[in-house]
Amino acid sequence: MKPSLPSGTRDFGPEVVRKRNYIFTTIREVFELYGFQPLETPALENLETLMGKYGEEGDKLIFKILNNGLNDPKNIDKARSAFEQVMTGRNDKNLTERALRYDLTIPFARYVAMNHGQLSLPFKRYQIQPVWRADRPQKGRYREFYQCDADVVGSYSLLNEVELTSIYANVFKRLGVPVEIRINNRKVLAALAELCGGSDKMMDITIAIDKLDKIGIEKVKEELAQRGLQADQVAAIENYLAINGDNQQKFAAASDLLGHLEIAQKGLAELKYMLDMYEGSEVVIDFTLARGLNYYTGVIYEIKAIGVQMGSIGGGGRYDDLTGLFGVPNIPGVGISFGVDRIYDVMEELKLFPSTVRTGTQVLFFNLGERESLVAYRLVQDLRKHGVACELYHEPTKKFDKQFKYAEKKDIPYVVIIGSQELEAETCIIKDLRQGNQITLPQSGLVGFNFDTAVSEQIDK
Amino acid sequence: MKPSLPSGTRDFGPEVVRKRNYIFTTIREVFELYGFQPLETPALENLETLMGKYGEEGDKLIFKILNNGLNDPKNIDKARSAFEQVMTGRNDKNLTERALRYDLTIPFARYVAMNHGQLSLPFKRYQIQPVWRADRPQKGRYREFYQCDADVVGSYSLLNEVELTSIYANVFKRLGVPVEIRINNRKVLAALAELCGGSDKMMDITIAIDKLDKIGIEKVKEELAQRGLQADQVAAIENYLAINGDNQQKFAAASDLLGHLEIAQKGLAELKYMLDMYEGSEVVIDFTLARGLNYYTGVIYEIKAIGVQMGSIGGGGRYDDLTGLFGVPNIPGVGISFGVDRIYDVMEELKLFPSTVRTGTQVLFFNLGERESLVAYRLVQDLRKHGVACELYHEPTKKFDKQFKYAEKKDIPYVVIIGSQELEAETCIIKDLRQGNQITLPQSGLVGFNFDTAVSEQIDK
């Protein structure tokens, strides 16, 4: 039998895990620096926790777990009845009661609803875990992938928006990824809807605007018309979408267009507060930003990497009511998300992973015989005590090439050779595989050797 | 709707995640120190990869994923046929093709079989990921839990067994958990089977011996008799199980009993080599150790924590053929596993988690007004640049008690207070919440303050 992986899933070998962990660790460190706390929820959730939360399309993409014991001949009656239910379009608990986590937001909401008595609000949590979606697999889209979220719940304060902006900036600065942090405010979009005849137009407008990048202004105008907007309303939206210039100029233009509406004033004031508090030049007002999800009510974010062709590598926004669905109303929040797979691709393309990320073992000790290996093994253990990752080749052999090849394949920068001569003289040869040169040291000097630095520099000393 | 968790699953809140990560990080650091490389496989595997690998009981405990689209009315014919198959005891691919990872060994074998052309052998990998089992939930047994494995494949060398012993010792030393590393060799058990009439007795003997701890020697003898062993054979096994003393005495006794059999000599020599190479006193020969899994062929391990009532907190052993099931024969290996949930419980019981593990935010800045908070926010950002995790209370309020309570609930050791007086004088008050004392500093001196040390010590300086 030739084994294979389910489509849309991936194995991550050592080098990829190390690079991914570099991204995760960087993000985690910044989250912690800002007082966010880790949360982990189970991969399995009750089906009713997830169903109905992601729209009709989303429901279809949730992976459901078959109840155990169904295909046991003993359960045939139970199974038959469960299947009949399903065949008439109903989900039967006898068939499936559990499903795989589809995102991190609903499990977080479920957690907050279950624990809000014990939590001290505002609760700042971060969560880095895989999610599963039965999407059609395609390039860059997987059925199992990590999400990486930070949310503050239980606070209306705009300071949270400022902090999240600063987190975005800080993370991408540490990763070396040049970005634009695009922000808008759903209140400004609500004002636009008001200008176009009422809040019932909000959904139509955001859905159409959200496609601007992909389909261009003419198609957006067509779609708006199809959605029942009048010519003058479409023209107003076109004016709005044409707003450009630097942040100040954009503010002025938006004020001209929408400033007579109270909700626009509020939205613009919030954006202005954020720009005043967070002074980084990477923050760009983008009034064309809409974000499809209709639970956003305030500031929204989207991150674009500069200098590469890639969709957004992060996004988020403020929402009014996280846990109402679970019977606990009035818990507002604001959150951001990092698109780790895309960040990985950007960093590969821009060659941003530090070379040290790949390094596992620093030193391979050759194994040149029973007696030699005994001495080598003691030295290996000594070095490990001093924090140097090292290995003794797994079996005695006189074949140097085999051992060199092992070091090379594993990208090990140093080998230490103790043959019969060195055994006699109580010395060892340290060979720097990247530079190709070597040095002979007494075995007792090995612990003091700096395996982070090239051999040649240590010869010069 | 009142939300709940599927039975047998858990949320991990901030404090628990931090403690668990402390264990994971410690283990990961040691694995890396010994040249092991990280691997991650998907949670979803093809059903055929997993089925038939864990015995009949295991097969029933595998969580299977319902194919998507089945309960779509459009698919009713497909669904009906799939269900009919299942009702006649067959797994139909139209119903389920995928399942959740049940352990880390089979996915690892699948990975090696798929990639053995590219891997440089021996391949040392570690893997720390959750697995899922439809076991009946009970105290200490979950349906979703982490496994934490290290394996070396592609090498028959006993040096690997020595290294894994050393890894066990090193990890538990770092965690502060006192342990016995119990080792035995399936070759010695094979010799015992030979003594009792042949290798076909091996399975019966190991299954019975494996229960010794739980049911005692008399019941083991009964079981052996029921399994068809003769009285003299049962007596020989009783003699074998009675072997005790220190490692040397045990060797001598086992040699007396089984030394005339070649396979016993081999097994004892392997154990002796391990003891010679790894000199820690925590390694204990335990000839009663059997380990149920019948794929083990050489050295086997089991870890017991000293001073607590707890089952084994780790185990492993050598196997002959990891990937034969997947069409790639002759890849032997040896591996160990850490039982993280139990290690966690042991560390809680023995109070072994360092107090620093719990610490998230180091400093909370009070937010006492718009103007005050502006200054505070700049200082917060400065401290973060110097690696100090800190927060500004999320909204301006004159209520000290609210802000103190937030710090207390989050276990934040320091608060910094900037009120109108301090604003004027460009100072700030640093309050040490653990000691209850405080110090006033110029704001410019804040970055130099050591938030790892008590205020009182810094006053004395």
Side-chain angles (χ1 to χ4, degrees):
Chain A
M1 174 213 155
K2 220 176 152 54
S4 64
L5 273 179
S7 73
T9 69
R10 297 165 285 175
D11 286 324
F12 298 117
E15 188 181 330
V16 181
V17 173
R18 290 213 167 95
K19 287 177 174 172
R20 287 167 59 88
N21 283 348
Y22 174 72
I23 297 174
F24 289 135
T25 304
T26 302
I27 296 174
R28 191 179 293 120
E29 277 172 10
V30 175
F31 285 161
E32 292 272 347
L33 207 51
Y34 285 72
F36 283 72
Q37 298 183 297
L39 173 71
E40 288 179 15
T41 65
L44 300 180
E45 291 278 356
N46 287 325
L47 196 53
E48 66 226 32
T49 299
L50 305 187
M51 293 298 280
K53 309 300 190 301
Y54 306 104
E56 209 182 311
E57 274 311 299
D59 275 1
K60 286 187 193 155
L61 302 182
I62 292 172
F63 278 116
K64 298 165 193 90
I65 309 283
L66 194 59
N67 285 359
N68 282 78
L70 265 191
N71 55 0
D72 184 333
K74 275 183 288 181
N75 292 330
I76 193 152
D77 288 337
K78 201 165 130 192
R80 185 172 286 126
S81 121
F83 297 160
E84 273 161 16
Q85 292 271 337
V86 171
M87 283 194 272
T88 53
R90 278 169 286 178
N91 256 315
D92 189 289
K93 282 210 162 189
N94 286 318
L95 186 70
T96 173
E97 305 175 53
R98 286 169 291 255
L100 289 179
R101 186 169 54 214
Y102 182 85
D103 74 354
L104 302 180
T105 305
I106 293 298
F108 174 49
R110 197 254 318 131
Y111 175 83
V112 172
M114 282 174 71
N115 297 280
H116 73 284
Q118 289 83 57
L119 295 175
S120 72
L121 297 182
F123 179 52
K124 304 182 186 180
R125 87 87 172 75
Y126 69 88
Q127 194 168 351
I128 303 176
Q129 291 191 283
V131 301
W132 293 269
R133 297 184 180 181
D135 257 320
R136 187 185 301 275
Q138 56 189 65
K139 191 176 175 306
R141 189 191 288 168
Y142 303 99
R143 288 184 156 175
E144 174 173 342
F145 59 97
Y146 268 72
Q147 287 194 336
C148 180
D149 286 13
D151 289 78
V152 189
V153 294
S155 167
Y156 288 98
S157 170
L158 268 178
L159 190 59
N160 300 307
E161 275 84 337
V162 177
E163 290 274 79
L164 293 172
T165 309
S166 178
I167 285 176
Y168 264 143
N170 204 331
V171 165
F172 287 113
K173 190 177 163 197
R174 286 173 185 227
L175 292 177
V177 177
V179 293
E180 248 178 42
I181 302 172
R182 298 184 182 171
I183 57 172
N184 193 9
N185 196 321
R186 296 280 284 220
K187 293 190 175 101
V188 176
L189 291 166
L192 184 64
E194 210 177 307
L195 192 73
C196 295
S199 60
D200 59 312
K201 294 281 183 290
M202 178 78 176
M203 182 96 91
D204 290 320
I205 293 175
T206 52
I207 288 176
I209 290 184
D210 207 30
K211 298 179 185 164
L212 181 63
D213 270 359
K214 274 190 200 140
I215 63 177
I217 182 69
E218 289 310 318
K219 296 261 178 207
V220 169
K221 280 161 66 181
E222 271 173 39
E223 176 154 351
L224 286 167
Q226 274 162 21
R227 286 175 177 273
L229 279 99
Q230 307 299 317
D232 60 329
Q233 295 169 344
V234 174
I237 294 172
E238 190 176 8
N239 282 341
Y240 171 85
L241 292 177
I243 290 175
N244 64 16
D246 63 21
N247 288 340
Q248 292 316 318
Q249 292 166 327
K250 285 179 186 167
F251 268 125
S255 243
D256 280 352
L257 206 60
L258 303 166
H260 58 290
L261 298 169
E262 199 184 325
I263 186 130
Q265 286 165 21
K266 206 157 176 233
L268 292 172
E270 289 180 3
L271 292 172
K272 198 157 174 342
Y273 174 84
M274 284 176 67
L275 288 178
D276 287 347
M277 285 295 280
Y278 181 79
E279 288 160 337
S281 61
E282 61 275 60
V283 183
V284 174
I285 302 280
D286 178 359
F287 287 120
T288 72
L289 183 63
R291 291 194 70 73
L293 297 172
N294 56 29
Y295 57 75
Y296 289 128
T297 54
V299 169
I300 48 179
Y301 302 88
E302 203 158 276
I303 310 296
K304 288 284 288 183
I306 297 170
V308 282
Q309 284 294 351
M310 181 74 71
S312 97
I313 57 174
R318 175 168 283 278
Y319 40 85
D320 262 346
D321 183 6
L322 180 71
T323 53
L325 285 166
F326 298 112
V328 182
N330 302 325
I331 299 192
V334 53
I336 57 172
S337 184
F338 288 83
V340 173
D341 284 307
R342 285 186 175 171
I343 293 170
Y344 184 98
D345 291 343
V346 168
M347 291 186 66
E348 279 290 24
E349 192 173 331
L350 300 180
K351 299 197 189 346
L352 293 174
F353 286 107
S355 61
T356 48
V357 168
R358 281 164 53 194
T359 308
T361 304
Q362 279 286 97
V363 192
L364 175 71
F365 281 70
F366 275 22
N367 188 334
L368 298 168
E370 285 295 341
R371 285 174 57 230
E372 291 84 349
S373 73
L374 263 175
V375 170
Y377 188 64
R378 296 285 166 258
L379 293 168
V380 163
Q381 291 286 57
D382 275 357
L383 278 187
R384 285 174 180 158
K385 272 187 197 131
H386 289 81
V388 181
C390 48
E391 296 179 52
L392 171 60
Y393 189 74
H394 69 115
E395 59 189 8
T397 170
K398 295 291 173 204
K399 290 181 186 148
F400 273 56
D401 56 337
K402 229 174 150 179
Q403 307 193 47
F404 273 124
K405 205 171 161 192
Y406 180 82
E408 196 187 306
K409 272 221 164 188
K410 254 185 121 165
D411 232 336
I412 300 174
Y414 283 100
V415 302
V416 170
I417 300 170
I418 299 173
S420 52
Q421 282 186 29
E422 288 76 25
L423 191 66
E424 192 77 18
E426 296 188 9
T427 59
C428 60
I429 298 166
I430 305 178
K431 204 170 160 64
D432 181 335
L433 296 186
R434 284 174 300 202
Q435 308 224 344
N437 51 8
Q438 63 183 53
I439 185 174
T440 299
L441 282 185
Q443 287 164 15
S444 58
L446 202 57
V447 161
F449 190 84
N450 181 356
F451 288 100
D452 294 328
T453 315
V455 154
S456 54
E457 288 173 45
Q458 306 203 38
I459 295 174
D460 294 344
K461 277 192 286 186
Chain B
M1 174 214 157
K2 219 175 151 56
S4 64
L5 273 178
S7 73
T9 69
R10 297 165 285 176
D11 286 324
F12 298 118
E15 187 180 331
V16 181
V17 172
R18 290 212 167 96
K19 287 176 174 172
R20 286 168 60 87
N21 283 347
Y22 174 72
I23 297 174
F24 290 136
T25 303
T26 303
I27 297 174
R28 190 179 293 121
E29 277 172 10
V30 174
F31 285 162
E32 292 272 347
L33 207 51
Y34 285 72
F36 284 71
Q37 298 182 298
L39 173 71
E40 288 179 15
T41 64
L44 300 181
E45 291 278 355
N46 286 324
L47 195 53
E48 66 226 34
T49 299
L50 304 188
M51 293 298 280
K53 309 300 190 301
Y54 306 104
E56 208 180 312
E57 274 311 299
D59 276 1
K60 286 187 192 155
L61 302 182
I62 293 172
F63 278 116
K64 298 165 193 90
I65 310 282
L66 194 59
N67 285 359
N68 281 78
L70 266 189
N71 55 1
D72 184 334
K74 275 182 288 182
N75 292 329
I76 193 153
D77 289 337
K78 202 166 130 191
R80 185 172 286 127
S81 121
F83 298 159
E84 275 162 14
Q85 293 271 336
V86 171
M87 283 194 272
T88 53
R90 279 170 285 178
N91 256 315
D92 190 290
K93 282 210 162 189
N94 286 319
L95 185 69
T96 172
E97 306 176 53
R98 286 168 292 254
L100 290 179
R101 185 168 55 214
Y102 182 85
D103 75 353
L104 302 180
T105 305
I106 293 298
F108 174 50
R110 197 250 324 127
Y111 175 83
V112 172
M114 282 174 71
N115 297 280
H116 74 284
Q118 288 83 58
L119 294 176
S120 72
L121 297 183
F123 179 53
K124 304 182 187 180
R125 86 88 172 75
Y126 69 88
Q127 194 168 352
I128 303 177
Q129 291 190 282
V131 301
W132 293 268
R133 296 182 181 183
D135 256 320
R136 187 185 302 273
Q138 57 188 65
K139 192 176 175 304
R141 189 192 287 168
Y142 303 99
R143 288 185 155 173
E144 174 173 342
F145 58 97
Y146 267 73
Q147 287 194 336
C148 180
D149 286 13
D151 288 78
V152 189
V153 295
S155 167
Y156 289 98
S157 170
L158 267 177
L159 190 60
N160 300 307
E161 275 85 337
V162 177
E163 290 274 79
L164 293 173
T165 310
S166 178
I167 285 177
Y168 264 142
N170 203 333
V171 165
F172 287 113
K173 190 176 163 199
R174 286 174 186 227
L175 292 177
V177 177
V179 293
E180 249 179 41
I181 302 172
R182 298 183 181 172
I183 57 172
N184 193 8
N185 196 320
R186 296 281 284 219
K187 294 190 175 101
V188 177
L189 291 166
L192 184 65
E194 209 177 308
L195 192 74
C196 294
S199 59
D200 59 313
K201 294 280 184 289
M202 179 77 176
M203 182 95 92
D204 290 319
I205 293 175
T206 51
I207 288 175
I209 289 184
D210 207 31
K211 299 179 184 164
L212 182 62
D213 270 359
K214 274 190 201 142
I215 63 177
I217 182 69
E218 290 310 317
K219 295 262 177 205
V220 169
K221 282 162 66 181
E222 272 173 37
E223 176 153 351
L224 286 166
Q226 274 162 20
R227 286 175 177 272
L229 280 99
Q230 307 298 318
D232 59 329
Q233 295 169 345
V234 174
I237 295 172
E238 190 176 8
N239 281 341
Y240 170 85
L241 293 177
I243 289 174
N244 63 15
D246 63 21
N247 288 340
Q248 293 315 317
Q249 293 166 325
K250 286 179 185 168
F251 268 125
S255 241
D256 281 352
L257 205 62
L258 303 165
H260 57 291
L261 299 167
E262 200 185 324
I263 186 129
Q265 286 165 23
K266 209 159 173 231
L268 293 171
E270 289 180 2
L271 292 173
K272 199 160 174 338
Y273 174 84
M274 284 176 67
L275 289 177
D276 287 347
M277 286 294 280
Y278 181 78
E279 289 161 337
S281 61
E282 61 276 61
V283 184
V284 175
I285 303 278
D286 178 0
F287 287 121
T288 72
L289 183 63
R291 291 195 69 73
L293 296 172
N294 56 29
Y295 58 74
Y296 289 129
T297 54
V299 169
I300 48 180
Y301 303 88
E302 204 159 276
I303 311 296
K304 287 284 287 183
I306 297 169
V308 281
Q309 284 294 352
M310 181 74 70
S312 97
I313 57 173
R318 175 167 284 277
Y319 41 84
D320 263 346
D321 183 6
L322 180 71
T323 53
L325 285 166
F326 297 112
V328 181
N330 302 323
I331 299 192
V334 53
I336 57 173
S337 185
F338 289 84
V340 173
D341 284 307
R342 284 186 176 172
I343 293 170
Y344 184 97
D345 290 343
V346 168
M347 291 185 66
E348 279 288 24
E349 192 172 333
L350 300 180
K351 299 198 186 347
L352 294 174
F353 287 107
S355 60
T356 49
V357 167
R358 280 164 53 194
T359 309
T361 304
Q362 279 286 97
V363 192
L364 175 70
F365 282 69
F366 274 23
N367 187 335
L368 298 169
E370 285 295 340
R371 285 174 56 230
E372 291 84 349
S373 74
L374 263 175
V375 170
Y377 189 64
R378 297 284 166 260
L379 292 168
V380 163
Q381 291 285 57
D382 274 356
L383 277 187
R384 285 174 180 159
K385 273 187 197 131
H386 289 81
V388 182
C390 48
E391 296 179 52
L392 171 60
Y393 190 74
H394 69 115
E395 60 189 6
T397 170
K398 295 291 173 204
K399 290 181 186 148
F400 273 56
D401 56 336
K402 229 174 151 179
Q403 307 194 46
F404 273 124
K405 204 170 163 195
Y406 179 82
E408 196 187 307
K409 271 222 165 187
K410 254 184 121 165
D411 232 337
I412 300 174
Y414 284 100
V415 301
V416 170
I417 299 170
I418 298 173
S420 51
Q421 283 185 28
E422 288 76 25
L423 191 66
E424 191 78 16
E426 297 188 10
T427 59
C428 60
I429 298 166
I430 305 178
K431 202 169 161 65
D432 182 335
L433 295 186
R434 284 174 300 202
Q435 308 223 344
N437 52 9
Q438 63 183 53
I439 186 175
T440 300
L441 281 186
Q443 287 164 14
S444 58
L446 202 57
V447 161
F449 190 83
N450 182 356
F451 288 99
D452 294 328
T453 314
V455 154
S456 54
E457 287 173 47
Q458 305 204 36
I459 295 174
D460 294 344
K461 277 194 286 184

